[in-house]
Coordinates of all heavy atoms in Angstrom, one line a residue:
M18 N -38.6 -36.4 -21.4 CA -37.4 -37.1 -21.2 C -36.3 -36.1 -20.7 O -36.3 -35.0 -21.1 CB -37.0 -37.7 -22.6 CG -35.6 -38.4 -22.5 SD -35.1 -39.0 -24.1 CE -35.9 -40.5 -24.2
T19 N -35.5 -36.6 -19.8 CA -34.5 -35.7 -19.3 C -33.2 -35.7 -20.2 O -33.0 -36.7 -20.9 CB -34.0 -36.2 -17.9 OG1 -33.5 -37.5 -18.0 CG2 -35.1 -36.1 -16.9
S20 N -32.5 -34.7 -20.1 CA -31.3 -34.6 -20.9 C -30.2 -35.4 -20.2 O -30.3 -35.7 -19.0 CB -30.9 -33.2 -21.1 OG -30.4 -32.6 -19.9
Y21 N -29.1 -35.7 -21.0 CA -28.0 -36.4 -20.4 C -27.4 -35.6 -19.3 O -27.1 -36.1 -18.2 CB -26.9 -36.6 -21.5 CG -25.7 -37.3 -20.9 CD1 -25.6 -38.6 -20.6 CD2 -24.6 -36.5 -20.7 CE1 -24.5 -39.2 -20.1 CE2 -23.4 -37.0 -20.1 CZ -23.4 -38.4 -19.8 OH -22.3 -38.9 -19.3
H22 N -27.4 -34.3 -19.4 CA -26.8 -33.4 -18.4 C -27.6 -33.5 -17.1 O -27.0 -33.6 -16.1 CB -26.7 -31.9 -18.9 CG -26.1 -31.0 -17.9 ND1 -24.8 -31.1 -17.6 CD2 -26.6 -30.0 -17.2 CE1 -24.5 -30.2 -16.7 NE2 -25.6 -29.5 -16.4
A23 N -28.9 -33.5 -17.2 CA -29.7 -33.6 -16.0 C -29.5 -34.9 -15.3 O -29.3 -35.0 -14.1 CB -31.2 -33.4 -16.3
G24 N -29.4 -36.0 -16.1 CA -29.1 -37.3 -15.5 C -27.8 -37.3 -14.9 O -27.6 -37.9 -13.8
A25 N -26.8 -36.7 -15.5 CA -25.4 -36.7 -15.0 C -25.4 -36.0 -13.7 O -24.7 -36.4 -12.7 CB -24.5 -36.1 -16.0
D26 N -26.2 -34.9 -13.5 CA -26.2 -34.2 -12.3 C -26.8 -35.1 -11.2 O -26.3 -35.1 -10.1 CB -27.1 -32.9 -12.4 CG -26.4 -31.8 -13.3 OD1 -25.2 -31.9 -13.5 OD2 -27.1 -30.9 -13.7
A27 N -27.8 -35.8 -11.5 CA -28.5 -36.7 -10.5 C -27.5 -37.8 -10.1 O -27.3 -38.1 -8.9 CB -29.7 -37.3 -11.1
W28 N -26.8 -38.4 -11.0 CA -25.8 -39.5 -10.7 C -24.7 -38.9 -9.9 O -24.2 -39.5 -8.9 CB -25.3 -40.2 -11.9 CG -26.3 -41.0 -12.6 CD1 -26.9 -40.8 -13.8 CD2 -27.0 -42.2 -12.0 NE1 -27.8 -41.8 -14.1 CE2 -27.9 -42.6 -13.0 CE3 -26.9 -42.9 -10.8 CZ2 -28.7 -43.7 -12.8 CZ3 -27.7 -44.0 -10.6 CH2 -28.6 -44.4 -11.6
G29 N -24.2 -37.7 -10.2 CA -23.2 -37.0 -9.5 C -23.6 -36.7 -8.1 O -22.9 -36.9 -7.1
A30 N -24.9 -36.3 -7.9 CA -25.4 -36.0 -6.6 C -25.4 -37.3 -5.7 O -25.2 -37.2 -4.5 CB -26.8 -35.4 -6.7
L31 N -25.8 -38.4 -6.3 CA -25.8 -39.6 -5.6 C -24.5 -40.3 -5.3 O -24.4 -41.2 -4.6 CB -26.7 -40.6 -6.3 CG -28.2 -40.3 -6.4 CD1 -29.0 -41.2 -7.2 CD2 -28.8 -40.2 -5.0
A32 N -23.4 -39.7 -5.9 CA -22.1 -40.2 -5.6 C -21.6 -40.0 -4.2 O -20.7 -40.7 -3.7 CB -21.1 -39.6 -6.6
D33 N -22.3 -39.0 -3.5 CA -21.9 -38.7 -2.1 C -22.6 -39.6 -1.1 O -23.9 -39.7 -1.2 CB -22.2 -37.2 -1.9 CG -21.8 -36.8 -0.5 OD1 -20.6 -36.4 -0.4 OD2 -22.6 -36.9 0.4
R34 N -21.9 -40.2 -0.2 CA -22.5 -41.1 0.8 C -23.6 -40.4 1.7 O -24.6 -41.0 2.0 CB -21.4 -41.6 1.7 CG -21.9 -42.6 2.7 CD -20.8 -43.1 3.6 NE -19.9 -43.8 2.7 CZ -18.6 -44.1 3.0 NH1 -18.1 -43.8 4.2 NH2 -17.8 -44.8 2.1
T35 N -23.3 -39.2 2.1 CA -24.3 -38.4 2.9 C -25.6 -38.2 2.1 O -26.7 -38.3 2.7 CB -23.7 -37.1 3.4 OG1 -22.5 -37.4 4.2 CG2 -24.7 -36.4 4.3
R36 N -25.5 -37.8 0.9 CA -26.7 -37.6 0.1 C -27.5 -38.9 -0.2 O -28.7 -38.9 -0.1 CB -26.3 -36.9 -1.3 CG -25.9 -35.4 -1.0 CD -25.8 -34.6 -2.3 NE -24.7 -34.9 -3.1 CZ -23.5 -34.2 -3.0 NH1 -23.4 -33.3 -2.1 NH2 -22.5 -34.5 -3.8
R37 N -26.8 -40.0 -0.3 CA -27.5 -41.3 -0.4 C -28.2 -41.6 0.9 O -29.3 -42.1 0.9 CB -26.5 -42.4 -0.8 CG -26.0 -42.3 -2.3 CD -25.3 -43.6 -2.7 NE -24.3 -44.0 -1.8 CZ -23.0 -43.6 -1.9 NH1 -22.6 -42.8 -2.8 NH2 -22.1 -44.1 -1.1
A38 N -27.6 -41.3 2.0 CA -28.2 -41.5 3.3 C -29.5 -40.6 3.4 O -30.5 -41.1 3.9 CB -27.2 -41.2 4.5
I39 N -29.4 -39.4 3.0 CA -30.5 -38.5 3.0 C -31.7 -39.1 2.1 O -32.8 -39.1 2.5 CB -30.1 -37.1 2.6 CG1 -29.3 -36.4 3.7 CG2 -31.4 -36.2 2.3 CD1 -28.6 -35.2 3.2
M40 N -31.3 -39.5 0.9 CA -32.3 -40.1 0.0 C -33.0 -41.3 0.7 O -34.2 -41.5 0.6 CB -31.7 -40.5 -1.3 CG -31.2 -39.4 -2.1 SD -32.5 -38.4 -2.9 CE -33.1 -39.6 -4.1
E41 N -32.2 -42.2 1.4 CA -32.7 -43.3 2.0 C -33.7 -42.9 3.1 O -34.8 -43.5 3.2 CB -31.6 -44.1 2.7 CG -32.0 -45.4 3.4 CD -32.6 -46.5 2.6 OE1 -32.2 -46.6 1.4 OE2 -33.4 -47.2 3.1
R42 N -33.4 -41.9 3.9 CA -34.3 -41.4 4.9 C -35.6 -40.9 4.3 O -36.7 -41.1 4.8 CB -33.6 -40.4 5.8 CG -32.5 -41.0 6.7 CD -31.7 -40.0 7.4 NE -30.7 -40.7 8.1 CZ -30.3 -40.3 9.3 NH1 -30.8 -39.3 9.9 NH2 -29.3 -41.0 9.9
L43 N -35.4 -40.2 3.2 CA -36.6 -39.6 2.5 C -37.5 -40.7 1.9 O -38.7 -40.5 1.7 CB -36.2 -38.5 1.5 CG -35.7 -37.2 2.1 CD1 -35.2 -36.3 1.0 CD2 -36.7 -36.6 3.0
A44 N -36.9 -41.8 1.6 CA -37.7 -42.9 1.0 C -38.7 -43.4 2.1 O -39.7 -44.0 1.7 CB -36.8 -44.1 0.6
H45 N -38.5 -43.2 3.3 CA -39.4 -43.5 4.4 C -40.5 -42.5 4.6 O -41.4 -42.7 5.4 CB -38.7 -43.8 5.7 CG -37.7 -45.0 5.6 ND1 -38.2 -46.3 5.5 CD2 -36.4 -45.0 5.4 CE1 -37.1 -47.1 5.4 NE2 -36.0 -46.4 5.3
G46 N -40.3 -41.3 4.0 CA -41.3 -40.3 4.1 C -40.7 -38.9 4.2 O -39.5 -38.8 4.4
P47 N -41.5 -37.9 4.1 CA -41.0 -36.5 4.1 C -40.4 -36.1 5.5 O -40.8 -36.7 6.5 CB -42.3 -35.6 3.9 CG -43.3 -36.6 3.3 CD -43.0 -37.9 3.8
A48 N -39.5 -35.2 5.4 CA -38.8 -34.8 6.7 C -38.2 -33.4 6.5 O -37.9 -33.0 5.4 CB -37.7 -35.8 7.0
A49 N -38.1 -32.8 7.6 CA -37.4 -31.5 7.7 C -35.9 -31.7 7.9 O -35.4 -32.8 8.2 CB -38.0 -30.6 8.8
V50 N -35.2 -30.6 7.7 CA -33.7 -30.7 7.8 C -33.2 -31.2 9.1 O -32.4 -32.1 9.2 CB -33.1 -29.3 7.5 CG1 -31.6 -29.3 7.8 CG2 -33.4 -28.8 6.1
G51 N -33.8 -30.7 10.2 CA -33.4 -31.2 11.5 C -33.6 -32.7 11.7 O -32.8 -33.4 12.3
E52 N -34.7 -33.2 11.2 CA -35.0 -34.6 11.3 C -34.0 -35.4 10.4 O -33.5 -36.5 10.9 CB -36.4 -34.9 10.8 CG -37.5 -34.3 11.6 CD -38.9 -34.3 11.0 OE1 -38.9 -34.2 9.7 OE2 -39.9 -34.3 11.7
L53 N -33.7 -34.9 9.3 CA -32.7 -35.6 8.4 C -31.3 -35.6 9.0 O -30.5 -36.5 8.8 CB -32.7 -34.9 7.0 CG -34.0 -35.1 6.2 CD1 -34.0 -34.2 5.0 CD2 -34.2 -36.6 5.8
A54 N -31.0 -34.5 9.7 CA -29.6 -34.3 10.3 C -29.4 -35.3 11.5 O -28.2 -35.5 11.8 CB -29.4 -32.9 10.7
Q55 N -30.4 -35.8 12.1 CA -30.2 -36.6 13.2 C -29.4 -37.9 12.8 O -29.7 -38.5 11.8 CB -31.6 -37.1 13.8 CG -32.3 -36.0 14.5 CD -33.7 -36.4 14.9 OE1 -34.1 -37.6 14.7 NE2 -34.4 -35.5 15.6
D56 N -28.4 -38.2 13.6 CA -27.6 -39.3 13.4 C -26.7 -39.3 12.2 O -26.0 -40.3 11.9 CB -28.4 -40.6 13.4 CG -29.2 -40.8 14.7 OD1 -28.7 -40.5 15.8 OD2 -30.3 -41.3 14.6
L57 N -26.7 -38.2 11.5 CA -25.7 -38.1 10.4 C -24.4 -37.4 10.9 O -24.5 -36.6 11.8 CB -26.3 -37.2 9.2 CG -27.4 -37.9 8.4 CD1 -27.9 -36.9 7.4 CD2 -26.8 -39.1 7.7
P58 N -23.3 -37.8 10.3 CA -22.0 -37.3 10.8 C -21.7 -35.9 10.3 O -20.5 -35.5 10.2 CB -21.0 -38.3 10.3 CG -21.6 -38.8 9.1 CD -23.1 -38.8 9.3
V59 N -22.7 -35.1 9.9 CA -22.5 -33.7 9.4 C -23.5 -32.8 10.1 O -24.5 -33.2 10.7 CB -22.7 -33.6 7.9 CG1 -21.6 -34.5 7.2 CG2 -24.1 -34.1 7.5
S60 N -23.2 -31.5 10.0 CA -24.0 -30.5 10.7 C -25.3 -30.3 10.0 O -25.5 -30.7 8.8 CB -23.2 -29.2 10.8 OG -23.0 -28.7 9.5
R61 N -26.2 -29.6 10.6 CA -27.5 -29.3 10.0 C -27.3 -28.4 8.8 O -27.9 -28.6 7.7 CB -28.4 -28.6 11.1 CG -29.8 -28.5 10.7 CD -30.5 -27.7 11.9 NE -31.5 -28.6 12.4 CZ -32.3 -28.3 13.4 NH1 -32.2 -27.1 13.9 NH2 -33.2 -29.1 13.8
P62 N -26.4 -27.3 8.8 CA -26.1 -26.5 7.6 C -25.6 -27.4 6.5 O -25.9 -27.2 5.3 CB -25.1 -25.5 8.1 CG -25.4 -25.4 9.6 CD -25.7 -26.7 10.0
A63 N -24.8 -28.4 6.8 CA -24.2 -29.3 5.8 C -25.4 -30.1 5.1 O -25.4 -30.3 3.9 CB -23.2 -30.2 6.3
V64 N -26.3 -30.6 5.9 CA -27.4 -31.3 5.4 C -28.2 -30.4 4.5 O -28.7 -30.8 3.4 CB -28.3 -31.9 6.5 CG1 -29.6 -32.4 6.0 CG2 -27.6 -32.9 7.3
S65 N -28.4 -29.1 4.9 CA -29.1 -28.2 4.0 C -28.4 -28.0 2.6 O -29.0 -28.0 1.6 CB -29.2 -26.8 4.7 OG -30.0 -26.8 5.8
Q66 N -27.1 -28.0 2.7 CA -26.3 -27.9 1.4 C -26.5 -29.2 0.6 O -26.6 -29.1 -0.7 CB -24.8 -27.6 1.7 CG -24.6 -26.2 2.2 CD -25.0 -25.2 1.2 OE1 -24.7 -25.2 0.0 NE2 -25.8 -24.2 1.7
H67 N -26.5 -30.3 1.2 CA -26.7 -31.6 0.5 C -28.1 -31.6 -0.1 O -28.2 -32.0 -1.3 CB -26.5 -32.8 1.4 CG -25.1 -33.1 1.7 ND1 -24.1 -33.5 0.8 CD2 -24.4 -33.1 2.9 CE1 -23.0 -33.7 1.4 NE2 -23.1 -33.4 2.6
L68 N -29.1 -31.1 0.6 CA -30.4 -31.1 0.1 C -30.5 -30.1 -1.1 O -31.2 -30.4 -2.1 CB -31.4 -30.6 1.2 CG -31.7 -31.7 2.2 CD1 -32.4 -31.1 3.4 CD2 -32.6 -32.8 1.6
K69 N -29.7 -29.0 -1.1 CA -29.7 -28.1 -2.2 C -29.2 -28.8 -3.5 O -29.7 -28.7 -4.6 CB -28.9 -26.9 -1.9 CG -28.8 -25.9 -3.0 CD -27.9 -24.7 -2.5 CE -27.8 -23.7 -3.7 NZ -26.9 -22.5 -3.3
V70 N -28.1 -29.6 -3.3 CA -27.6 -30.4 -4.4 C -28.6 -31.3 -5.0 O -28.8 -31.5 -6.2 CB -26.3 -31.1 -4.0 CG1 -25.8 -32.0 -5.1 CG2 -25.2 -30.1 -3.7
L71 N -29.3 -32.1 -4.1 CA -30.3 -33.1 -4.5 C -31.5 -32.4 -5.2 O -32.0 -32.9 -6.1 CB -30.7 -33.9 -3.3 CG -29.7 -34.8 -2.7 CD1 -30.2 -35.3 -1.3 CD2 -29.4 -36.0 -3.6
K72 N -31.8 -31.2 -4.7 CA -32.9 -30.5 -5.3 C -32.5 -30.0 -6.7 O -33.3 -30.1 -7.6 CB -33.3 -29.3 -4.4 CG -34.5 -28.5 -4.9 CD -34.9 -27.5 -3.9 CE -36.1 -26.6 -4.4 NZ -36.4 -25.5 -3.6
C73 N -31.3 -29.5 -6.8 CA -30.9 -29.0 -8.1 C -30.8 -30.2 -9.1 O -30.9 -30.0 -10.3 CB -29.5 -28.3 -8.0 SG -29.6 -26.7 -7.2
A74 N -30.5 -31.4 -8.6 CA -30.4 -32.5 -9.5 C -31.8 -33.1 -9.8 O -31.9 -34.1 -10.5 CB -29.5 -33.6 -8.8
G75 N -32.8 -32.5 -9.2 CA -34.2 -33.0 -9.5 C -34.6 -34.3 -8.7 O -35.5 -35.0 -9.1
L76 N -33.9 -34.5 -7.6 CA -34.2 -35.8 -6.9 C -35.1 -35.5 -5.6 O -35.7 -36.5 -5.1 CB -32.9 -36.4 -6.4 CG -32.0 -36.9 -7.6 CD1 -30.6 -37.4 -7.1 CD2 -32.7 -38.0 -8.4
V77 N -35.1 -34.3 -5.1 CA -36.0 -34.0 -4.0 C -36.7 -32.7 -4.3 O -36.3 -31.9 -5.1 CB -35.2 -33.9 -2.7 CG1 -34.5 -35.2 -2.3 CG2 -34.3 -32.7 -2.6
R78 N -37.8 -32.5 -3.6 CA -38.6 -31.3 -3.6 C -38.8 -30.8 -2.2 O -38.7 -31.6 -1.3 CB -40.0 -31.5 -4.2 CG -40.0 -31.8 -5.7 CD -41.4 -32.0 -6.2 NE -41.4 -32.3 -7.6 CZ -42.5 -32.7 -8.3 NH1 -43.6 -32.7 -7.7 NH2 -42.4 -33.0 -9.6
D79 N -39.1 -29.6 -2.0 CA -39.4 -29.1 -0.7 C -40.7 -28.2 -0.7 O -41.1 -27.8 -1.8 CB -38.2 -28.3 -0.1 CG -38.0 -27.0 -0.9 OD1 -38.2 -27.0 -2.1 OD2 -37.5 -26.1 -0.3
Q80 N -41.3 -28.1 0.4 CA -42.5 -27.2 0.6 C -42.5 -26.6 1.9 O -41.9 -27.2 2.9 CB -43.8 -28.0 0.3 CG -44.0 -29.1 1.3 CD -45.3 -29.9 0.9 OE1 -45.2 -30.6 -0.1 NE2 -46.3 -29.8 1.7
A81 N -43.0 -25.5 2.0 CA -43.1 -24.8 3.3 C -44.1 -25.4 4.2 O -45.2 -25.8 3.7 CB -43.5 -23.3 3.1
A82 N -43.8 -25.6 5.5 CA -44.7 -26.1 6.5 C -44.5 -25.2 7.7 O -43.6 -25.5 8.6 CB -44.4 -27.6 6.8
G83 N -45.2 -24.1 7.8 CA -44.9 -23.2 8.8 C -43.6 -22.5 8.6 O -43.3 -22.0 7.6
T84 N -42.7 -22.6 9.6 CA -41.4 -22.0 9.5 C -40.4 -22.9 9.0 O -39.2 -22.6 8.9 CB -41.0 -21.4 10.9 OG1 -40.9 -22.5 11.8 CG2 -41.9 -20.3 11.4
R85 N -40.8 -24.1 8.7 CA -39.8 -25.2 8.3 C -40.0 -25.5 6.8 O -41.0 -25.1 6.2 CB -40.0 -26.5 9.0 CG -40.0 -26.4 10.5 CD -40.3 -27.7 11.2 NE -41.2 -28.6 10.6 CZ -41.2 -29.9 10.8 NH1 -40.3 -30.5 11.5 NH2 -42.1 -30.7 10.2
R86 N -39.0 -26.1 6.2 CA -39.2 -26.6 4.9 C -39.1 -28.2 5.0 O -38.2 -28.7 5.7 CB -38.0 -26.2 4.0 CG -37.9 -24.7 3.9 CD -38.0 -24.0 2.6 NE -38.7 -24.4 1.5 CZ -39.8 -23.9 1.1 NH1 -40.4 -23.0 1.8 NH2 -40.4 -24.3 0.0
V87 N -40.1 -28.8 4.4 CA -40.2 -30.3 4.5 C -39.8 -30.8 3.1 O -40.3 -30.3 2.1 CB -41.6 -30.7 4.8 CG1 -41.7 -32.2 4.8 CG2 -42.0 -30.2 6.2
Y88 N -38.9 -31.8 3.1 CA -38.3 -32.3 1.9 C -38.9 -33.7 1.6 O -39.2 -34.5 2.6 CB -36.8 -32.5 2.0 CG -36.2 -31.1 2.0 CD1 -36.0 -30.3 3.1 CD2 -35.7 -30.6 0.8 CE1 -35.5 -29.1 3.1 CE2 -35.1 -29.3 0.7 CZ -35.0 -28.6 1.9 OH -34.4 -27.3 1.9
H89 N -39.1 -34.0 0.4 CA -39.6 -35.4 0.0 C -38.9 -35.7 -1.4 O -38.5 -34.9 -2.1 CB -41.1 -35.5 -0.1 CG -41.8 -34.5 -0.9 ND1 -42.0 -34.7 -2.3 CD2 -42.2 -33.2 -0.7 CE1 -42.6 -33.6 -2.8 NE2 -42.7 -32.7 -1.8
L90 N -38.9 -37.0 -1.7 CA -38.4 -37.5 -2.9 C -39.2 -36.9 -4.1 O -40.4 -36.8 -4.0 CB -38.3 -39.0 -3.0 CG -37.4 -39.7 -2.0 CD1 -37.5 -41.2 -2.1 CD2 -36.0 -39.2 -2.1
D91 N -38.5 -36.6 -5.2 CA -39.2 -36.1 -6.4 C -39.4 -37.3 -7.3 O -38.4 -37.8 -7.9 CB -38.4 -35.0 -7.1 CG -39.1 -34.4 -8.2 OD1 -40.0 -35.1 -8.8 OD2 -38.7 -33.3 -8.6
P92 N -40.6 -37.8 -7.5 CA -40.8 -39.0 -8.4 C -40.3 -38.8 -9.8 O -39.9 -39.7 -10.4 CB -42.3 -39.3 -8.3 CG -42.9 -38.3 -7.3 CD -41.8 -37.3 -6.9
T93 N -40.4 -37.6 -10.3 CA -40.0 -37.3 -11.7 C -38.5 -37.6 -11.9 O -38.1 -38.2 -12.8 CB -40.4 -35.9 -12.1 OG1 -41.8 -35.7 -11.9 CG2 -40.0 -35.6 -13.5
G94 N -37.7 -37.1 -10.9 CA -36.3 -37.3 -11.0 C -35.9 -38.7 -10.8 O -35.0 -39.2 -11.5
L95 N -36.6 -39.4 -9.9 CA -36.3 -40.8 -9.7 C -36.7 -41.7 -10.9 O -36.0 -42.6 -11.3 CB -37.1 -41.3 -8.5 CG -36.6 -40.7 -7.1 CD1 -37.4 -41.2 -6.0 CD2 -35.1 -41.0 -6.9
D96 N -37.8 -41.3 -11.5 CA -38.2 -42.0 -12.8 C -37.2 -41.8 -13.9 O -36.9 -42.8 -14.6 CB -39.6 -41.5 -13.3 CG -40.8 -42.0 -12.4 OD1 -40.6 -42.9 -11.6 OD2 -41.9 -41.4 -12.5
A97 N -36.6 -40.6 -14.0 CA -35.6 -40.4 -15.0 C -34.4 -41.3 -14.7 O -33.8 -41.8 -15.7 CB -35.2 -38.9 -15.0
L98 N -34.0 -41.4 -13.5 CA -32.8 -42.3 -13.1 C -33.1 -43.7 -13.5 O -32.3 -44.4 -14.0 CB -32.5 -42.2 -11.6 CG -31.7 -40.9 -11.2 CD1 -31.5 -41.0 -9.7 CD2 -30.4 -40.8 -11.9
R99 N -34.3 -44.1 -13.1 CA -34.7 -45.5 -13.4 C -34.7 -45.8 -14.9 O -34.3 -46.8 -15.4 CB -36.1 -45.8 -12.8 CG -36.5 -47.3 -13.1 CD -37.8 -47.6 -12.5 NE -38.1 -49.0 -12.8 CZ -38.3 -49.9 -11.9 NH1 -38.4 -49.6 -10.7 NH2 -38.6 -51.1 -12.4
A100 N -35.2 -44.8 -15.7 CA -35.2 -45.0 -17.2 C -33.8 -45.1 -17.7 O -33.6 -45.9 -18.6 CB -36.0 -43.8 -17.8
E101 N -32.9 -44.3 -17.2 CA -31.5 -44.4 -17.6 C -30.9 -45.8 -17.3 O -30.2 -46.4 -18.1 CB -30.6 -43.3 -16.9 CG -30.8 -42.0 -17.5 CD -29.8 -41.0 -17.0 OE1 -28.7 -41.4 -16.5 OE2 -30.1 -39.8 -17.1
L102 N -31.2 -46.3 -16.1 CA -30.7 -47.6 -15.7 C -31.4 -48.7 -16.6 O -30.7 -49.6 -17.0 CB -31.1 -47.9 -14.2 CG -30.2 -47.3 -13.2 CD1 -30.7 -47.6 -11.8 CD2 -28.8 -47.9 -13.3
D103 N -32.6 -48.6 -16.9 CA -33.3 -49.5 -17.8 C -32.6 -49.5 -19.1 O -32.4 -50.6 -19.7 CB -34.8 -49.2 -17.9 CG -35.6 -49.6 -16.6 OD1 -35.1 -50.3 -15.8 OD2 -36.7 -49.1 -16.5
R104 N -32.3 -48.3 -19.7 CA -31.7 -48.3 -21.0 C -30.3 -48.9 -20.9 O -29.9 -49.7 -21.8 CB -31.6 -46.8 -21.5 CG -32.9 -46.3 -22.0 CD -32.7 -44.9 -22.7 NE -32.1 -43.9 -21.8 CZ -32.8 -43.1 -21.0 NH1 -34.1 -43.3 -20.9 NH2 -32.2 -42.2 -20.3
F105 N -29.6 -48.6 -19.9 CA -28.2 -49.2 -19.7 C -28.3 -50.7 -19.6 O -27.6 -51.4 -20.4 CB -27.6 -48.6 -18.4 CG -26.3 -49.4 -18.0 CD1 -25.1 -49.1 -18.7 CD2 -26.3 -50.3 -17.1 CE1 -24.0 -49.7 -18.3 CE2 -25.2 -51.0 -16.7 CZ -24.0 -50.7 -17.3
W106 N -29.2 -51.3 -18.8 CA -29.2 -52.7 -18.6 C -29.8 -53.4 -19.9 O -29.3 -54.5 -20.3 CB -30.0 -53.1 -17.4 CG -29.3 -52.8 -16.2 CD1 -29.6 -52.0 -15.2 CD2 -28.0 -53.4 -15.8 NE1 -28.6 -52.0 -14.2 CE2 -27.6 -52.9 -14.5 CE3 -27.2 -54.4 -16.3 CZ2 -26.5 -53.2 -13.9 CZ3 -26.0 -54.8 -15.7 CH2 -25.7 -54.2 -14.4
T107 N -30.7 -52.8 -20.6 CA -31.2 -53.3 -21.8 C -30.1 -53.5 -22.8 O -29.9 -54.5 -23.5 CB -32.4 -52.5 -22.4 OG1 -33.4 -52.5 -21.4 CG2 -32.9 -53.0 -23.7
Q108 N -29.3 -52.4 -23.0 CA -28.2 -52.4 -23.9 C -27.1 -53.4 -23.5 O -26.6 -54.2 -24.3 CB -27.6 -51.0 -24.1 CG -26.5 -51.0 -25.1 CD -27.0 -51.3 -26.5 OE1 -28.0 -50.8 -26.9 NE2 -26.3 -52.2 -27.2
A109 N -26.8 -53.4 -22.2 CA -25.8 -54.4 -21.7 C -26.2 -55.8 -21.9 O -25.4 -56.6 -22.3 CB -25.5 -54.1 -20.2
L110 N -27.4 -56.1 -21.6 CA -27.9 -57.5 -21.8 C -28.0 -57.9 -23.3 O -27.6 -59.0 -23.7 CB -29.3 -57.7 -21.2 CG -29.3 -57.7 -19.7 CD1 -30.7 -57.7 -19.1 CD2 -28.5 -58.8 -19.1
A111 N -28.3 -56.9 -24.2 CA -28.3 -57.2 -25.6 C -26.9 -57.4 -26.1 O -26.6 -58.4 -26.9 CB -28.9 -56.0 -26.3
N112 N -25.9 -56.7 -25.6 CA -24.5 -56.9 -26.0 C -24.0 -58.2 -25.5 O -23.3 -58.9 -26.2 CB -23.6 -55.8 -25.4 CG -23.9 -54.4 -26.1 OD1 -24.4 -54.4 -27.2 ND2 -23.4 -53.4 -25.4
Y113 N -24.4 -58.6 -24.3 CA -24.0 -59.9 -23.7 C -24.6 -61.0 -24.5 O -23.9 -62.0 -24.9 CB -24.5 -60.0 -22.3 CG -24.2 -61.4 -21.7 CD1 -22.9 -61.7 -21.3 CD2 -25.2 -62.3 -21.5 CE1 -22.6 -63.0 -20.7 CE2 -24.9 -63.6 -21.0 CZ -23.7 -63.9 -20.6 OH -23.4 -65.1 -20.1
A114 N -25.9 -60.9 -24.9 CA -26.6 -62.0 -25.7 C -25.9 -62.1 -27.1 O -25.7 -63.2 -27.6 CB -28.0 -61.6 -25.9
A115 N -25.5 -60.9 -27.7 CA -24.9 -61.0 -29.0 C -23.5 -61.6 -28.9 O -23.1 -62.4 -29.7 CB -24.7 -59.5 -29.5
A116 N -22.8 -61.3 -27.8 CA -21.4 -61.9 -27.6 C -21.6 -63.4 -27.4 O -20.8 -64.2 -27.9 CB -20.7 -61.2 -26.5
F117 N -22.5 -63.8 -26.6 CA -22.8 -65.2 -26.3 C -23.1 -66.0 -27.6 O -22.6 -67.0 -27.9 CB -23.9 -65.4 -25.3 CG -24.1 -66.8 -24.9 CD1 -23.3 -67.5 -24.0 CD2 -25.2 -67.5 -25.4 CE1 -23.5 -68.8 -23.7 CE2 -25.5 -68.8 -25.0 CZ -24.6 -69.5 -24.2
T118 N -24.0 -65.4 -28.4 CA -24.5 -66.0 -29.6 C -23.3 -66.1 -30.6 O -23.1 -67.1 -31.2 CB -25.6 -65.2 -30.2 OG1 -26.7 -65.2 -29.3 CG2 -26.1 -65.9 -31.5
E119 N -22.5 -65.1 -30.6 CA -21.3 -65.1 -31.5 C -20.3 -66.1 -31.1 O -19.7 -66.8 -31.9 CB -20.7 -63.7 -31.5 CG -19.5 -63.5 -32.5 CD -19.0 -62.1 -32.4 OE1 -19.8 -61.2 -32.8 OE2 -17.8 -62.0 -32.1
G120 N -20.1 -66.3 -29.8 CA -19.2 -67.3 -29.2 C -19.7 -68.7 -29.5 O -18.9 -69.6 -29.8
E121 N -21.0 -68.9 -29.5 CA -21.5 -70.3 -29.8 C -21.3 -70.6 -31.3 O -21.2 -71.7 -31.7 CB -23.0 -70.4 -29.5 CG -23.2 -70.6 -28.0 CD -24.7 -70.9 -27.7 OE1 -25.6 -70.6 -28.6 OE2 -24.9 -71.5 -26.7
A122 N -21.4 -69.6 -32.1 CA -21.3 -69.8 -33.6 C -19.8 -70.1 -34.0 O -19.6 -70.7 -35.1 CB -21.8 -68.5 -34.4
S123 N -18.9 -69.8 -33.2 CA -17.5 -70.0 -33.5 C -17.1 -71.5 -33.4 O -17.5 -72.3 -32.7 CB -16.6 -69.2 -32.6 OG -16.8 -67.8 -32.7

């Protein structure tokens, strides 16, 4: 189980539009920095910095492929985010059901 801090880092990393765009591209498959930088409104070095944030947040991994680094989504980090969302929605729905039931009893 991830700690709250690790989850907070992941949510914070995803708060940035460019990092979400990078995640979307990686959802289609592994890619190098140059491939990810295509059509993004930021420089290649900026994409590298965004990838560093995503990697520190546990959302992407990289591996050497010759002279390049290829990035892909980290299923462990994504599973942790999904678990947090599941807990949130489970609690929110339980609170809604309790409020609805209480309202009917009045």
Side-chain angles (χ1 to χ4, degrees):
M18 177 184 277
T19 60
S20 69
Y21 176 77
H22 182 68
D26 289 345
W28 291 115
L31 290 175
D33 183 89
R34 179 179 302 163
T35 300
R36 289 193 283 269
R37 288 192 309 271
I39 291 169
M40 293 288 290
E41 178 68 27
R42 290 172 185 219
L43 290 175
H45 296 287
V50 174
E52 297 164 329
L53 292 168
Q55 291 176 355
D56 302 322
L57 285 176
V59 296
S60 67
R61 195 181 241 184
V64 171
S65 292
Q66 288 301 310
H67 284 297
L68 285 164
K69 181 179 178 182
V70 171
L71 292 168
K72 186 176 175 184
C73 288
L76 297 174
V77 301
R78 290 183 184 173
D79 64 330
Q80 64 186 66
T84 59
R85 308 179 322 155
R86 304 236 30 105
V87 176
Y88 291 84
H89 55 91
L90 297 178
D91 185 337
T93 304
L95 295 175
D96 287 345
L98 283 178
R99 183 179 178 125
E101 284 189 23
L102 279 175
D103 287 345
R104 284 190 301 276
F105 169 80
W106 286 115
T107 298
Q108 186 62 50
L110 291 173
N112 290 343
Y113 176 77
F117 182 76
T118 303
E119 185 178 298
E121 281 190 341
S123 300

